[in-house]
Amino acid sequence: MSIISKRTSLTSILKDHSTVSRDRARQEAHNKVRFSLTSQKTVKDVFQKAIDGDFGDYEEYITMLKTSALTDEVFLNTIQQTRKCIHLLKPHFVGYIETVLSLKWTQRSKEIREEFKAFILELMVMHNKYARIGVEKLLSVWVPEENAAGSWPLGTPDADMTERLSDVHEVIAKLIELIPMISSLIVRAVDKLFPYFKRSPHILAGYLHNVLWLLSYQPIFTEDVLRSVFSHLLKVDVNAPRNEIEEAEDADEEMENIFEMEDVREFRADEMRLQLAESLDICLGKMYEYLGQQITQNPRTADRTFRTVLSVFETVILPAHSPHHIQFFIFYCLSLRGTFVQAFVDALWAKVSNPNVAPGVRQACVYYIASLLARAKFLPITLIQNMLKELCSWAHQYISRYDSSHADATIRAHGVFFAICQAVFYVIAFRSRDLTAGKRHLMLLQSLHLSAIVTSPLNPLRVCLPAVATAFAGVTRAYQLTYCHAILERNARKKLATVYMSVVEMPEETLDTFFPFDPYLLKKSSKYIENIYLKYQASEEEEKLDEDSGRKRKDTIGDEDDFIAEKRFRTTSDAARSPELQFTYSFSPGFHK
């Protein structure tokens, strides 16, 4: 049999009746003056006529269900009659099934909800071909309506809405029990029905609330569902960059100070002015709460939960280019149990040490390690010291293999090495107060042989961010670990000469860096972060040295732990006139220029 004949045969099996006659019946049903649903025709009669080839009443009945305001009595009667003839619901009745399942049954009385639950369970058990439609219609109820914000304060349903949603979750739980293979359909539907990232905050957060509710009674879905959740939240995060959040907050404050307008919307004190930031704030708050419950209240499953979170981080967040806030979920997770930190650092360091991993991923791992060591209050000082040893040992081995007479010294050729060197400089500068507290700690810093790294032929200081290099130079000078200022001055002269002699822009000579755990800007969910997050503090020796030399540290490091504002690339002439502004990066290490 040919391919064409096979296709024709298959079509004839699926379509038992004439498509033309059915389309004609559908059009007539739309144009016809419709009679009441309380007519003498039963659902069974309608199905039987359709089976015999007459789709007129069938299409008319569907049209009435879609367009009529059904009373509770009619609604209940329709569901009851449909239950009695479930055995007649062949594949060509999919239109009717989709229409019935689309009815807003959760807004009806308790009696109707119980009848509908029994109907959908019987339908999907008897006809598994309707499983996909049934699952998607059930999960679509999780999406709050646009005008229902009052029933979803901060993405959490009120008591009445919770009672109605519990019916949906009850049906899903029973379906999983009765039809195990339906699990894959549910996971796919969770991802498919996730609201568009620009929808209202209560819609995104409300849907997430139901997704986490699903995980509470079906933890087997956790990894797949969390991967889907963070993939969608990442879209919100990347479209709510830090500069736009700050601009929205500052602009609103300026408007309040200049104008007093009655029709201007008033924001709550903890409400983000940027809608996407508000959505992300509420959703991350829910994720922090979920992680806290899973790890602290279920110690038996804590390790499994962490492995799941780490897997989601490595597959979704780590490859993402410069996320803004979503990565803090791993930061918070690490704070919940001491053993998690070492496992996290070991996992990232294994990628850094593996030459078969892409250089971009290896550098990203270095940035996460450095930012964690600098910002996490909950880290023991021994872990920071051991990681510094590991980083410096790797750098020394790399330098020993480098042949300055033949090798290329560009950032592209040695990106991982430069990233590791900057990580060492950054952590030492940022945690100088802890790392220099006592002779034993100072001896450890001396054992790192920082001079060999700083004075190596690759000259890592030349590609470091200026704020990191300057802060590191100040610390090492204060404690006589190494002297960097002469190298910094020589690098500055070379770069200035390059500007005058060529058309190469200076930003290309600075390492492309980001600091994942920059200060947290989201208001409501910050309560989970602020007590475990470290702000910069210069050591007493540094401050004393600055006072003696007449250069107050506060001139270069601000009173607040904010970040250097994002700057645009300068033209060659601008860079020549203002070399101190030649460095461009999206996130700062927490030091002010």
Side-chain angles (χ1 to χ4, degrees):
M1 183 180 292
S2 67
I3 295 177
I4 297 178
S5 62
K6 279 187 177 182
R7 185 176 301 171
T8 305
S9 176
L10 181 60
T11 304
S12 64
I13 292 175
L14 295 179
K15 296 184 178 180
D16 297 334
H17 306 284
S18 171
T19 303
V20 176
S21 62
R22 190 167 180 171
D23 290 342
R24 185 184 302 114
R26 184 180 296 112
Q27 186 62 39
E28 290 175 355
H30 280 286
N31 297 333
K32 190 174 181 180
V33 178
R34 289 179 283 277
F35 53 81
S36 172
L37 281 172
T38 58
S39 63
Q40 298 300 318
K41 293 182 180 180
T42 65
V43 174
K44 185 175 182 180
D45 294 336
V46 172
F47 287 164
Q48 196 61 57
K49 289 184 67 175
I51 291 174
D52 295 337
D54 184 0
F55 283 90
D57 290 348
Y58 172 79
E59 295 295 346
E60 184 179 353
Y61 202 86
I62 291 178
T63 302
M64 287 188 292
L65 289 176
K66 291 179 178 180
T67 59
S68 301
L70 305 181
T71 64
D72 284 353
E73 179 183 358
V74 174
F75 194 106
L76 180 61
N77 184 52
T78 300
I79 300 304
Q80 288 174 339
Q81 290 189 39
T82 305
R83 279 188 68 187
K84 292 178 182 178
C85 51
I86 282 183
H87 61 284
L88 297 176
L89 296 176
K90 304 301 180 183
H92 46 268
F93 291 138
V94 63
Y96 177 82
I97 295 301
E98 191 167 359
T99 300
V100 171
L101 295 182
S102 299
L103 298 176
K104 297 181 179 180
W105 62 278
T106 57
Q107 301 177 8
R108 299 286 177 167
S109 64
K110 182 68 174 178
E111 180 185 7
I112 292 178
R113 298 203 305 270
E114 292 298 326
E115 184 70 25
F116 197 94
K117 285 156 56 179
F119 159 68
I120 194 171
L121 285 171
E122 292 179 14
L123 172 69
M124 296 178 70
V125 169
M126 189 174 294
H127 301 284
N128 56 21
K129 57 183 170 293
Y130 294 128
R132 182 186 60 80
I133 297 175
V135 166
E136 291 183 2
K137 293 301 179 182
L138 282 172
L139 268 61
S140 66
V141 179
W142 292 359
V143 182
E145 295 182 358
E146 190 69 42
N147 58 355
S151 299
W152 293 86
L154 298 180
T156 303
D158 57 22
D160 180 64
M161 185 63 68
T162 300
E163 178 185 355
R164 299 177 185 279
L165 286 169
S166 63
D167 290 328
V168 180
H169 287 279
E170 181 184 342
V171 172
I172 293 174
K174 289 183 178 179
L175 284 173
I176 295 172
E177 181 181 350
L178 296 172
I179 316 173
M181 67 178 185
I182 208 171
S183 299
S184 59
L185 295 178
I186 293 175
V187 172
R188 285 198 291 269
V190 167
D191 181 70
K192 178 181 178 180
L193 298 177
F194 209 98
Y196 183 57
F197 72 92
K198 289 187 178 180
R199 298 287 298 275
S200 299
H202 78 276
I203 295 178
L204 286 170
Y207 186 82
L208 177 61
H209 179 91
N210 281 288
V211 171
L212 298 179
W213 190 344
L214 170 67
L215 296 183
S216 68
Y217 58 85
Q218 287 298 326
I220 194 173
F221 295 162
T222 300
E223 183 169 354
D224 291 331
V225 169
L226 287 186
R227 186 176 291 109
S228 173
V229 166
F230 281 107
S231 295
H232 288 280
L233 292 184
L234 182 61
K235 297 177 185 177
V236 183
D237 182 74
V238 298
N239 284 278
R242 292 175 177 274
N243 62 321
E244 291 187 13
I245 294 176
E246 292 174 335
E247 288 172 5
E249 297 293 325
D250 294 341
D252 187 75
E253 291 179 2
E254 292 176 3
M255 290 296 294
E256 289 179 356
N257 294 333
I258 297 175
F259 302 103
E260 293 183 2
M261 303 173 64
E262 296 181 357
D263 58 342
V264 174
R265 179 190 169 190
E266 294 184 3
F267 290 88
R268 299 186 306 273
D270 64 348
E271 185 177 3
M272 305 299 297
R273 272 54 174 176
L274 190 67
Q275 178 176 301
L276 288 175
E278 177 71 4
S279 298
L280 187 64
D281 193 8
I282 299 174
C283 290
L284 283 181
K286 287 185 174 294
M287 294 308 303
Y288 296 147
E289 182 181 5
Y290 168 79
L291 285 176
Q293 291 175 351
Q294 293 299 308
I295 293 174
T296 60
Q297 298 180 13
N298 300 303
R300 293 182 180 179
T301 61
D303 290 337
R304 184 174 63 190
T305 300
F306 171 70
R307 288 194 297 270
T308 299
V309 169
L310 180 59
S311 174
V312 172
F313 170 81
E314 291 179 340
T315 55
V316 178
I317 307 302
L318 183 61
H321 178 67
S322 301
H324 307 290
H325 288 95
I326 195 171
Q327 67 273 18
F328 273 90
F329 87 94
I330 191 69
F331 188 88
Y332 175 71
C333 183
L334 296 176
S335 70
L336 298 176
R337 181 171 288 193
T339 56
F340 292 168
V341 178
Q342 189 65 57
F344 176 74
V345 172
D346 288 345
L348 294 187
W349 183 245
K351 293 181 182 295
V352 176
S353 306
N354 185 357
N356 295 320
V357 176
V361 175
R362 296 172 70 189
Q363 291 182 52
C365 291
V366 173
Y367 300 149
Y368 274 98
I369 292 174
S371 195
L372 178 67
L373 297 180
R375 293 293 192 175
K377 277 186 179 180
F378 49 86
L379 296 186
I381 187 63
T382 53
L383 188 147
I384 300 174
Q385 292 172 329
N386 290 337
M387 201 60 226
L388 282 175
K389 289 180 183 178
E390 199 78 45
L391 291 167
C392 289
S393 175
W394 190 97
H396 288 305
Q397 293 178 22
Y398 192 92
I399 292 170
S400 65
R401 297 193 302 267
Y402 173 72
D403 184 357
S404 59
S405 62
H406 297 92
D408 183 5
T410 62
I411 294 176
R412 178 175 297 181
H414 305 281
V416 177
F417 169 76
F418 290 134
I420 286 178
C421 290
Q422 181 169 257
V424 172
F425 304 157
Y426 173 48
V427 173
I428 290 176
F430 208 98
R431 300 299 291 255
S432 60
R433 184 178 288 266
D434 298 320
L435 293 171
T436 58
K439 291 184 178 179
R440 292 183 61 185
H441 291 170
L442 279 172
M443 289 177 63
L444 184 138
L445 289 181
Q446 292 171 355
S447 69
L448 299 179
H449 303 293
L450 298 173
S451 294
I453 298 176
V454 170
T455 60
S456 70
L458 287 169
N459 187 8
L461 284 175
R462 70 184 171 85
V463 299
C464 287
L465 302 182
V468 174
T470 303
F472 173 74
V475 173
T476 55
R477 179 189 178 200
Y479 295 97
Q480 299 181 1
L481 299 172
T482 185
Y483 191 72
C484 304
H485 288 89
I487 298 175
L488 293 177
E489 292 173 2
R490 183 170 66 252
N491 290 339
R493 287 196 297 270
K494 288 182 178 180
K495 290 181 179 180
L496 190 62
T498 302
V499 171
Y500 284 115
M501 295 170 60
S502 72
V503 295
V504 178
E505 293 184 350
M506 296 304 299
E508 295 178 355
E509 297 187 10
T510 304
L511 190 64
D512 182 15
T513 308
F514 90 105
F515 298 87
F517 301 123
D518 279 359
Y520 200 80
L521 303 181
L522 305 179
K523 297 177 182 178
K524 285 181 283 293
S525 56
S526 64
K527 64 183 180 181
Y528 295 95
I529 303 299
E530 57 189 6
N531 293 329
I532 59 175
Y533 188 80
L534 181 67
K535 295 183 178 181
Y536 177 78
Q537 289 181 319
S539 66
E540 296 178 0
E541 196 69 26
E542 289 177 85
E543 293 174 346
K544 180 180 178 181
L545 183 63
D546 287 343
E547 290 175 1
D548 293 341
S549 62
R551 294 181 291 105
K552 295 286 186 180
R553 190 65 160 175
K554 63 183 181 181
D555 291 336
T556 56
I557 301 179
D559 296 331
E560 297 182 0
D561 188 34
D562 57 0
F563 283 56
I564 301 174
E566 182 177 358
K567 301 179 181 68
R568 300 296 181 186
F569 280 175
R570 303 283 179 171
T571 61
T572 303
S573 59
D574 290 338
R577 291 193 299 268
S578 183
E580 72 275 11
L581 297 180
Q582 293 165 3
F583 299 94
T584 301
Y585 41 92
S586 298
F587 305 95
S588 85
F591 310 117
H592 280 263
K593 275 191 172 182

